[in-house]
Amino acid sequence: MYFLASTAVTLLSLHLADLKTSGVISADPKMTYGILMGNFGLAAILLSYLFGRLSDVAGRKIPLIAAFLGLTAAPLLISNPSVPIIVVSWIITYGIAFAVLYPSLLALLTDELAPHERGIAMELFMLCLTVGTGVASPLMEYIGGIIGLASGIKVAAIIPAIAVLLACLIHPRPPPSPLIP
């Protein structure tokens, strides 16, 4: 999740500068990046509660798979040179996928773990987010420098594609037993 966010921060801003140079966008790349990330954040914030409720009703697996598919598709689509309104729509799709993913994933942790396991699980979850952020920025900038920025953004789509595969293959473990006081 944050691997993709770091890729967007690192490569999308540089990709937008390339699009300005090639004449695809006419606005300042920094301003365009700010507008795009504002739309991303707004979509994620406004829809997180709604999609959290959806995962309560529909279960966790379907929203997670849908989110990972959205997170796989969004970088592939964002990396294509297009008119700004199309790029904004893909960024909003990216924000919607985050809004679906985050509450469903956190709810899945609480569903699958006994109360005494949740603290360490949340700690490991946050550790993975932090490591993903720390690894993605330099790695994806390096990859983007070698194969091109748009191609580097597309390479980042491999991470959620792996998550889709894992979500389809992994079966839930039996429910945890209640704590005996």
Side-chain angles (χ1 to χ4, degrees), residues 1-12 14 94 98 127-145 149 152-153 155-160:
M1 200 164 68
Y2 277 49
F3 188 94
L4 286 175
S6 293
T7 299
V9 168
T10 306
L11 296 184
L12 182 59
L14 298 172
Y94 200 30
F98 264 76
L127 176 69
C128 288
L129 292 180
T130 304
V131 168
T133 303
V135 168
S137 292
L139 177 66
M140 294 313 296
E141 186 171 355
Y142 178 74
I143 289 172
L149 299 172
I153 293 171
V155 166
I158 292 170
I159 300 298

Side-chain angles (χ1 to χ4, degrees), residues 29-111:
K30 292 177 184 175
M31 180 66 160
T32 304
Y33 180 78
I35 291 168
L36 292 175
M37 291 298 105
N39 285 313
F40 166 84
L42 191 60
I45 290 166
L46 292 177
L47 297 172
S48 286
Y49 175 78
L50 174 69
F51 287 120
R53 295 292 298 150
L54 175 69
S55 77
D56 289 341
V57 174
R60 311 299 185 218
K61 192 168 189 174
I62 293 170
L64 283 173
I65 291 172
F68 287 131
L69 287 173
L71 290 173
T72 301
L76 298 175
L77 299 168
I78 289 168
S79 62
N80 293 321
S82 187
V83 294
I85 193 66
I86 301 296
V87 176
V88 167
S89 66
W90 298 136
I91 290 290
I92 291 172
T93 302
Y94 200 30
I96 291 169
F98 264 76
V100 173
L101 180 67
Y102 211 74
S104 298
L105 195 55
L106 291 176
L108 181 66
L109 283 174
T110 58
D111 290 349

